Each structure stands twice: as C-alpha cells, then as structure tokens.
Amino acid sequence: MRFSTLFATVLCLSIIFRGGDAPSAVTAYFQNSGSAIGAAIDFPYSPVRLMVLMMPDGTDISVIQRLRDAAGLAYLVSIFSVISFVILLRLNQWPRRTAAFNVWVNLPTFDPTAGGDVVRRLERDSRINVILGFLLPFLVPAVIKIVSAFGTPIILDNPQTLIWTVSAWAFLPASILMRGVALSRVAQMIRMQRARANERSAADDGMYQ
C-alpha cells in the first residue's frame, strides 16, 4: 500500500510536468485536475497554503502555481491512500482473530520483548503515529520556512526536485498514519484474544469447581 501510494504520487506529478515538454490530452487532464484540486485545497492554514507560503519572497509565480497544483494533487492522493488502507483492513479483516499473527513479518521494527504491556505500548505508538501523521503536513512547511530564514532558501525551480519534495511531503504523513492504524488494529486483536483466553480460563475453572 505504501509503495502504491508513492508510485501513484510520483506518476501523477510526473505526468503534470511532462505537459510542459510534451503536451497531450493526458497531461492536460492531469494539469487541469491538479489546478482544480490545488485551488480547492488552497485555503487559509491548509497544508497546501503552507507549502506555498514556505517559498521565499520573489519566487516566480509559475513556480508557485506548479507547487500549488502538485501539492494539492499529492495531498489528495495521500488522503485517498489512507482511506483505502483502512477500508482494505476492514474488508480483509486484518489481522484475523483466528489465525496466527507473525509480529516479525507484520511489525519488523516493533520489539514485543522490550518491556511493559504489549497492548499499552501498541496503543501508545498508534496514537503517536496518528498524531504525527496528521501534523506533519503542517509542520514540514513551517520547519522548512524557519530553516530557510537562517540558511539557504529552498529552490524548487527544477521539476525533479519539486516532484520528489512534494511526494515526500505527502507520502511520509500517509505512511505514518497507516502504521498508526495498523498498530491500533493489532492492539485490538491482542486485547480480544486475551479476553477470550480469560473467558475460557474462567469456564474451565468453573467446570472443575
């Protein structure tokens, strides 16, 4: 899902910028879609508006326009990817309550033996990831603006630089949100398995009394 999200974002933005060198009906469609989406999402305090405002004073208006269109389209792709991820989890009932769950395969960076209750740690990490994924689209432009004020301003005149910058800005929060949702689902699975185990234990104790 993460790979598909990044691939779709880079592909859409590449098609938009290809229209400058080799215009076609497809590039025109993506350009018009990006402009419409960018204009719709470009409202005060929105992530797209913050991306536009992070550009230094004197930036060419065409660069700002391309940035707004790319940011709007990339942000929409990331939102749809997160929604699709949640829907797929529910349709596939992942993780399945009745099947074995391999922590190493599904959560390779999570150490269940690090200490503390696993469910509490999963829920804590889930909340942190969800909050961070939601805030990153707002925080990244602000951080870049602050860094540019004390150093070299970011230059997005090169289409390739703009494509990868915007793709990373949209993809990383979506990826973190997906991880937060997945951690929450795993915590729910473990809690339900514990509840069933406790019920069976209580039933067995009642049989022997």
Side-chain angles (χ1 to χ4, degrees):
M1 202 58 203
R2 290 173 173 175
F3 175 81
S4 300
T5 301
L6 182 58
F7 176 80
T9 303
V10 175
L11 178 63
C12 291
L13 300 188
S14 299
I15 293 175
I16 288 179
F17 287 100
R18 180 169 176 78
D21 298 327
S24 65
V26 176
T27 59
Y29 173 78
F30 276 84
Q31 286 175 338
N32 294 334
S33 299
S35 298
I37 296 169
I41 304 180
D42 185 16
F43 52 85
Y45 306 108
S46 71
V48 175
R49 175 65 62 85
L50 294 177
M51 282 291 286
V52 173
L53 292 177
M54 79 174 184
M55 299 302 293
D57 297 336
T59 303
D60 189 86
I61 189 64
S62 62
V63 175
I64 294 179
Q65 180 65 39
R66 289 199 303 266
L67 175 62
R68 187 184 70 171
D69 298 346
L73 186 57
Y75 193 64
L76 188 66
V77 171
S78 68
I79 292 175
F80 277 137
S81 68
V82 174
I83 296 174
S84 301
F85 179 74
V86 174
I87 293 174
L88 286 175
L89 288 186
R90 292 190 175 276
L91 291 178
N92 294 325
Q93 297 181 351
W94 183 93
R96 298 183 184 276
R97 273 61 173 174
T98 57
F101 182 82
N102 192 319
V103 177
W104 176 255
V105 173
N106 291 277
L107 299 172
T109 60
F110 180 80
D111 184 7
T113 63
D117 184 69
V118 174
V119 174
R120 290 184 179 177
R121 288 175 54 213
L122 286 170
E123 291 178 341
R124 179 199 62 197
D125 291 351
S126 172
R127 296 190 190 99
I128 293 174
N129 278 271
V130 170
I131 294 172
L132 186 61
F134 178 78
L135 293 179
L136 266 183
F138 301 89
L139 294 178
V140 170
V143 171
I144 293 177
K145 184 70 173 180
I146 294 173
V147 172
S148 299
F150 294 97
T152 304
I154 183 172
I155 303 298
L156 297 178
D157 294 341
N158 189 305
Q160 292 184 1
T161 303
L162 195 152
I163 288 173
W164 285 109
T165 300
V166 174
S167 297
W169 165 77
F171 167 74
L172 290 178
S175 177
I176 294 174
L177 276 172
M178 291 180 193
R179 176 175 171 80
V181 173
L183 291 174
S184 177
R185 297 277 294 184
V186 174
Q188 292 175 11
M189 178 199 68
I190 297 175
R191 189 186 299 107
M192 292 179 65
Q193 289 180 344
R194 285 181 177 178
R196 285 198 297 266
N198 292 335
E199 290 176 359
R200 286 195 297 266
S201 178
D204 293 339
D205 291 343
M207 292 177 60
Y208 289 107
Q209 289 179 356

